[in-house]
Amino acid sequence: MEIDKPVLRKDPNGEPNPMPVIARKALKPRTKPAEVRRDDILRAATSLFVAKGVGTTTIDEIATRAEVAKGTFYLYFTSKEDVVAALRERFVAGFRARILSAIEARPPDDWTGRLMSFVSAGITAYLDDHRLHDVVFHDHRPDQRQMKGDNPLIGDLSTLLAAGAKAGAWSVDDPDLAAIVLFNGLHGAVDHAIERGVRDGSGLAANLSALFLRMVRPE
Amino acid sequence: MEIDKPVLRKDPNGEPNPMPVIARKALKPRTKPAEVRRDDILRAATSLFVAKGVGTTTIDEIATRAEVAKGTFYLYFTSKEDVVAALRERFVAGFRARILSAIEARPPDDWTGRLMSFVSAGITAYLDDHRLHDVVFHDHRPDQRQMKGDNPLIGDLSTLLAAGAKAGAWSVDDPDLAAIVLFNGLHGAVDHAIERGVRDGSGLAANLSALFLRMVRPE
Amino acid sequence: MEIDKPVLRKDPNGEPNPMPVIARKALKPRTKPAEVRRDDILRAATSLFVAKGVGTTTIDEIATRAEVAKGTFYLYFTSKEDVVAALRERFVAGFRARILSAIEARPPDDWTGRLMSFVSAGITAYLDDHRLHDVVFHDHRPDQRQMKGDNPLIGDLSTLLAAGAKAGAWSVDDPDLAAIVLFNGLHGAVDHAIERGVRDGSGLAANLSALFLRMVRPE
Amino acid sequence: MEIDKPVLRKDPNGEPNPMPVIARKALKPRTKPAEVRRDDILRAATSLFVAKGVGTTTIDEIATRAEVAKGTFYLYFTSKEDVVAALRERFVAGFRARILSAIEARPPDDWTGRLMSFVSAGITAYLDDHRLHDVVFHDHRPDQRQMKGDNPLIGDLSTLLAAGAKAGAWSVDDPDLAAIVLFNGLHGAVDHAIERGVRDGSGLAANLSALFLRMVRPE
DNA sequence: TATGAATGAGCTTTCATTCAT
DNA sequence: TATGAATGAAAGCTCATTCAT
């Protein structure tokens, strides 16, 4: 707060210096492109969050693991929550990309195939990253509720259902509601599977697809 | 029953109290039954958690609102999480009781009616208490995942579906999976409705029931 | 911020425990009357502030010197500035008491004597405590300006001048302004003396009194 | 003179710059004369200090407002305190110049007029710049005390009083002491006026002059 | 049982200063 | 000269938990 701070500065890199300066330089460039630094921090945070939870991970730990000073952390993020938010964005985007690309691999009019791709890609992606998922979706904020609603995958699913219905392949009264039920049903089913230690989602995919197809099959 | 809890017993310097102990005791039985005390604390915690979140509520605040000393809190609970767990148990039990009693109001062989009761009672109960629900289900712990699996309502639903199928009313391949999808679908649909500010769940109940019945209807 | 904090607790008093518990108890009662604790902290802060300035003194140091935990500090004060404010109040009250009692030692109608007492008591008191004075009056706040104006001693002085004038002993056109000039003149003169290392204020008192009396003497 | 200071020179990856150095130099003499740079920084600091205090202003902010890199700041000043000291010097010099020139506007033997000019110019100058005054004189350092003593205006005033006395216009026993009292009295009186929101100092000047003249008038 | 003063580890955040470019 | 990313020491403050009464 005040003017007269004591100034103590030791060895700025803090480690015994057995190596010539030039070699050190090569190993540890003081400055990296911002993108890389940011990514270093994000990666460090991810592994810590997954390993020990967001709450118990300190910013100190994140900085240390990212091989960055604590102050540097604050150059890139404003708080731990800010990191979680960045991770969440990343996670959602990657998750969605995986699923969409699986769908696109099917012919446009293969409605059943597209839905099954959605289901199996969703299961696989979730099984792969569920620990990161948990990290990224478990905060306390009351506006948290909002975020689910923004889930673009539900919109994608709704669009798929509506298109299939329009094409006469399915019968769907309320595509939005059906999409919500399907997405959350899938989500819950994978949670259940994870609890049981399931590693391979193909069986679940078949069963879920069957269930979902029943729900949309014409009378 | 709560005759005389002293609000202020300041005696900061410990002067000898002129009143004999026995007389004091007779006048001031300072304790409440443990159940009541516990409940005071639980109620105080609930309102604070709902108002400002678990993370930002301190044990000090809980104790103050419960009109109890901080030390007394630790006589009844070991930590804040312990309180959340107690609240969760309560919540789940109440929630389930509401739904089961709605189901039981229907004739045992009215399968469709029973499922619809499940849906509409579930929606109503959740709409009523979703803020407490959020409090009670939003912590970070990795073992959190476990709790959903323990959700007895999914078991109840599975039982209902299996019984209906056995009775020939429905066709259900995997009642457990169907129950999971139904329960989570319902959960997600209500979340969605809450986000949109929906206060009355009857429309949603009708639509959801229709969707669910499609899923179990015989070929 | 979060729920799952690691709990590490070692030896609560942190020192090797060579002494029997009873003896320890006698030496270090865990709890003291609030007044005493507060005073412990205030005394610790004073000595540190005087020795090394407010800015460079940390709350940690204050707590340590007061033999109190850091948290205890915050039980009694909200910040370092809060301590300075408490010290300032104390200082002003004591300073004023000294001067007023010196004045009261003179007969009520001994106007010259009263003014001289004011001057010499003021000089002495300030010489005695000027380091604490500096500590207590050197913060940055813009509203600082306000505080000087609230200085009750200027009011006291103004009253004295007005009374002496009314009694016909002096001629004072604007007692408030004269009081301000006298007080600040005295203040500055003592500052000057302190800079020069003066320890005894009696010579200064005589000279200043003479000057002040010139200022109020009738035509 | 400031032809082309680049606002953004982002070159984050350090790609080799295709433009030859000499041509670049000709186009972009990136430096300003040291005096100007220094002044930029001083001006930036002044406005920030006045607006939000020295303690809460960071060097980052100063550099940003001066449109200079943080490192450049350290090319011109060694610390924030260094800036305050430079500002103080400036302030004192300007203040003194204003007062001296007001005095010099009077005939050399117009003692009363000279003293009145001192008073009214002092009041005006202080009223004009009191916020900068506060900034520049409000730090914590114990050696602060020294600076007042160095105040050359007190010396000027003492010289004036001694000269007037020597000329037989006044009676002044101890010109140094009288100068101290006058200067500090004036200072305090203006502070008091500022607190009361006074904008025009002419009334105060008349009253103060009268008071001061009483103090030096011959028996 | 009940109390609440006391504890202190630990966290977040700031910012003056450096230095490779 | 000029830059600004990086540093990391330091500080303020919180709050779950204890324990003597």
Side-chain angles (χ1 to χ4, degrees):
Chain A
M1 185 212 268
E2 277 330 322
I3 294 172
D4 33 5
K5 300 260 183 62
V7 179
L8 291 178
R9 186 101 345 160
K10 333 185 187 178
D11 172 26
N13 279 329
E15 71 246 16
N17 197 338
M19 253 188 242
V21 170
I22 294 183
R24 183 127 134 279
K25 228 180 197 170
L27 289 174
K28 277 204 163 197
R30 256 180 75 95
T31 145
K32 290 185 186 181
E35 265 321 302
V36 176
R37 270 280 193 259
R38 196 184 137 92
D39 208 71
D40 287 348
I41 295 171
L42 245 17
R43 276 207 320 278
T46 302
S47 64
L48 287 164
F49 288 168
V50 164
K52 42 180 297 206
V54 173
T56 41
T57 299
T58 69
I59 286 175
D60 235 329
E61 289 171 317
I62 297 172
T64 301
R65 163 129 7 166
E67 296 187 282
V68 151
K70 218 189 305 192
T72 306
F73 174 91
Y74 285 96
L75 246 28
Y76 290 90
F77 299 95
T78 64
S79 66
K80 205 162 59 175
E81 269 316 287
D82 195 19
V83 175
V84 174
L87 251 20
R88 182 160 44 223
E89 253 172 66
R90 251 196 193 189
F91 177 88
V92 169
F95 195 85
R96 189 180 179 211
R98 271 178 87 163
I99 291 178
L100 292 190
S101 95
I103 292 180
E104 297 308 327
R106 301 275 189 157
D109 60 348
D110 178 8
W111 302 108
T112 298
R114 291 196 146 214
L115 185 56
M116 290 172 69
S117 289
F118 189 104
V119 168
S120 71
I123 290 172
T124 309
Y126 191 15
L127 277 177
D128 286 353
D129 292 331
H130 71 270
R131 280 184 318 185
L132 180 54
H133 170 276
D134 286 357
V135 160
V136 131
F137 281 109
H138 273 295
D139 47 21
H140 283 204
R141 298 173 319 181
D143 52 348
Q144 173 65 4
R145 191 173 283 285
Q146 229 55 357
M147 324 213 56
K148 280 187 182 171
D150 291 347
N151 187 338
L153 275 172
I154 289 181
D156 298 334
L157 193 46
S158 174
T159 304
L160 174 60
L161 295 174
K166 197 173 173 197
W170 296 329
S171 160
V172 182
D173 289 336
D174 182 342
D176 283 344
L177 183 62
I180 289 170
V181 168
L182 258 51
F183 185 87
N184 283 281
L186 185 151
H187 201 296
V190 182
D191 278 339
H192 185 85
I194 290 169
E195 285 164 33
R196 261 92 200 134
V198 173
R199 297 263 124 208
D200 173 64
S202 53
L204 177 59
N207 291 340
L208 261 187
S209 294
L211 200 57
F212 290 169
L213 288 171
R214 292 181 68 102
M215 210 155 86
V216 296
R217 76 176 188 275
E219 336 282 316
Chain B
M1 192 180 284
E2 179 192 338
I3 300 170
D4 57 358
K5 189 163 53 55
V7 174
L8 275 179
R9 282 195 316 114
K10 276 268 154 175
D11 194 5
N13 284 331
E15 306 95 352
N17 191 314
M19 225 191 274
V21 170
I22 294 184
R24 212 227 239 95
K25 230 180 195 166
L27 289 174
K28 299 193 163 201
R30 306 222 294 277
T31 69
K32 292 182 182 182
E35 266 320 302
V36 176
R37 271 277 193 262
R38 197 183 136 90
D39 207 71
D40 287 347
I41 295 171
L42 246 16
R43 277 208 319 279
T46 302
S47 62
L48 286 163
F49 288 166
V50 164
K52 43 180 295 205
V54 174
T56 47
T57 299
T58 67
I59 287 177
D60 227 334
E61 289 171 315
I62 297 172
T64 301
R65 162 125 13 161
E67 297 187 285
V68 149
K70 221 187 306 191
T72 306
F73 174 92
Y74 284 94
L75 252 23
Y76 290 90
F77 298 94
T78 66
S79 68
K80 202 161 62 175
E81 263 320 279
D82 194 18
V83 175
V84 174
L87 252 19
R88 184 159 44 224
E89 254 170 67
R90 249 195 196 189
F91 177 88
V92 169
F95 195 84
R96 189 180 180 210
R98 269 177 88 163
I99 292 180
L100 291 190
S101 94
I103 292 181
E104 296 309 328
R106 302 274 190 160
D109 59 348
D110 177 10
W111 303 107
T112 298
R114 291 197 147 212
L115 184 56
M116 290 173 69
S117 289
F118 188 105
V119 168
S120 71
I123 290 173
T124 309
Y126 190 16
L127 278 178
D128 286 352
D129 291 332
H130 71 269
R131 280 185 316 187
L132 181 54
H133 170 274
D134 286 357
V135 160
V136 130
F137 281 108
H138 271 295
D139 50 20
H140 283 206
R141 298 172 321 179
D143 53 348
Q144 172 66 5
R145 191 172 286 283
Q146 227 54 1
M147 324 215 56
K148 279 187 183 171
D150 291 347
N151 187 337
L153 275 172
I154 290 182
D156 298 334
L157 192 47
S158 175
T159 304
L160 173 61
L161 294 173
K166 195 173 174 197
W170 297 329
S171 160
V172 183
D173 290 337
D174 183 341
D176 283 344
L177 184 62
I180 290 170
V181 168
L182 260 49
F183 184 85
N184 282 281
L186 184 151
H187 200 296
V190 182
D191 278 339
H192 184 85
I194 291 169
E195 285 165 32
R196 260 104 202 120
V198 173
R199 298 263 124 210
D200 172 64
S202 53
L204 177 59
N207 291 339
L208 259 188
S209 293
L211 199 58
F212 290 169
L213 288 170
R214 291 181 69 100
M215 212 157 84
V216 296
R217 77 176 187 274
E219 332 284 315
Chain C
M1 186 210 269
E2 279 327 322
I3 296 170
D4 34 5
K5 300 260 181 65
V7 180
L8 291 178
R9 186 100 347 159
K10 330 184 189 177
D11 172 23
N13 279 330
E15 73 244 15
N17 197 337
M19 253 189 238
V21 170
I22 293 183
R24 182 124 137 280
K25 229 180 196 170
L27 289 175
K28 276 206 164 199
R30 256 178 76 94
T31 147
K32 290 186 186 179
E35 265 321 303
V36 176
R37 270 280 192 259
R38 197 183 136 92
D39 208 71
D40 287 348
I41 296 172
L42 245 16
R43 275 207 321 278
T46 301
S47 64
L48 287 163
F49 288 167
V50 164
K52 42 180 296 205
V54 174
T56 41
T57 300
T58 69
I59 286 175
D60 236 329
E61 290 170 317
I62 297 172
T64 302
R65 163 128 8 165
E67 296 187 283
V68 151
K70 214 190 310 191
T72 305
F73 174 92
Y74 284 97
L75 245 28
Y76 290 90
F77 299 95
T78 64
S79 67
K80 205 162 59 176
E81 269 317 287
D82 195 18
V83 176
V84 174
L87 251 20
R88 182 159 46 224
E89 253 171 65
R90 251 194 194 190
F91 177 87
V92 169
F95 195 85
R96 189 180 181 210
R98 270 177 87 164
I99 291 179
L100 292 190
S101 93
I103 292 180
E104 296 309 328
R106 301 276 188 158
D109 58 349
D110 177 9
W111 302 108
T112 298
R114 290 196 148 214
L115 184 56
M116 291 172 69
S117 288
F118 188 104
V119 168
S120 71
I123 290 172
T124 308
Y126 190 16
L127 278 177
D128 285 353
D129 291 331
H130 71 270
R131 281 184 318 186
L132 180 55
H133 170 276
D134 286 357
V135 160
V136 131
F137 279 109
H138 273 295
D139 48 20
H140 283 205
R141 299 173 319 182
D143 51 349
Q144 174 65 6
R145 192 174 281 286
Q146 229 55 358
M147 323 210 58
K148 279 187 183 169
D150 292 347
N151 187 336
L153 274 172
I154 289 181
D156 298 334
L157 192 47
S158 175
T159 304
L160 173 60
L161 294 174
K166 196 174 173 198
W170 296 329
S171 159
V172 182
D173 289 336
D174 183 341
D176 282 343
L177 184 62
I180 289 169
V181 169
L182 258 50
F183 185 87
N184 283 281
L186 185 152
H187 201 296
V190 181
D191 278 338
H192 185 85
I194 290 168
E195 284 164 33
R196 260 106 203 118
V198 173
R199 296 266 125 207
D200 173 63
S202 53
L204 178 58
N207 291 340
L208 260 186
S209 293
L211 201 58
F212 290 170
L213 288 171
R214 291 181 69 100
M215 211 156 86
V216 296
R217 76 174 187 276
E219 334 283 315
Chain D
M1 188 179 287
E2 178 194 339
I3 300 169
D4 58 358
K5 190 163 52 54
V7 175
L8 274 180
R9 282 193 319 113
K10 275 267 154 175
D11 193 6
N13 284 330
E15 305 94 352
N17 192 314
M19 223 192 276
V21 170
I22 293 182
R24 187 139 125 275
K25 229 180 194 166
L27 289 173
K28 299 194 163 200
R30 305 221 295 277
T31 69
K32 291 183 182 181
E35 265 321 301
V36 177
R37 271 275 193 263
R38 197 184 135 91
D39 207 70
D40 286 349
I41 295 172
L42 246 16
R43 278 208 318 278
T46 301
S47 63
L48 286 163
F49 288 167
V50 164
K52 42 180 298 210
V54 173
T56 48
T57 299
T58 67
I59 287 177
D60 226 335
E61 288 171 316
I62 297 172
T64 302
R65 160 125 12 162
E67 296 186 284
V68 149
K70 223 188 304 192
T72 307
F73 174 91
Y74 284 95
L75 253 23
Y76 292 90
F77 298 94
T78 65
S79 68
K80 203 162 60 175
E81 263 320 281
D82 195 18
V83 175
V84 173
L87 251 19
R88 183 160 44 222
E89 252 171 65
R90 250 195 194 189
F91 177 87
V92 169
F95 195 85
R96 189 180 179 210
R98 270 178 88 163
I99 290 178
L100 292 190
S101 96
I103 292 181
E104 295 309 326
R106 302 274 189 159
D109 59 348
D110 178 9
W111 303 107
T112 297
R114 291 196 147 213
L115 184 56
M116 290 172 69
S117 289
F118 188 105
V119 168
S120 72
I123 290 172
T124 308
Y126 190 15
L127 277 177
D128 285 353
D129 291 331
H130 71 271
R131 281 184 318 188
L132 180 55
H133 169 277
D134 286 357
V135 159
V136 131
F137 281 109
H138 271 295
D139 48 20
H140 283 206
R141 297 171 324 177
D143 53 348
Q144 171 67 3
R145 192 173 285 284
Q146 229 54 359
M147 323 216 55
K148 278 188 182 169
D150 292 347
N151 187 337
L153 274 172
I154 289 181
D156 298 333
L157 192 48
S158 174
T159 304
L160 173 61
L161 293 173
K166 196 173 173 196
W170 297 328
S171 160
V172 183
D173 290 336
D174 182 342
D176 283 343
L177 183 62
I180 290 170
V181 168
L182 259 49
F183 185 85
N184 283 282
L186 185 152
H187 201 296
V190 182
D191 278 339
H192 184 84
I194 291 169
E195 285 164 33
R196 261 93 200 133
V198 173
R199 296 265 125 209
D200 172 64
S202 53
L204 178 58
N207 292 339
L208 260 187
S209 293
L211 200 56
F212 290 170
L213 287 170
R214 292 180 68 99
M215 210 155 86
V216 296
R217 78 178 187 276
E219 335 284 315

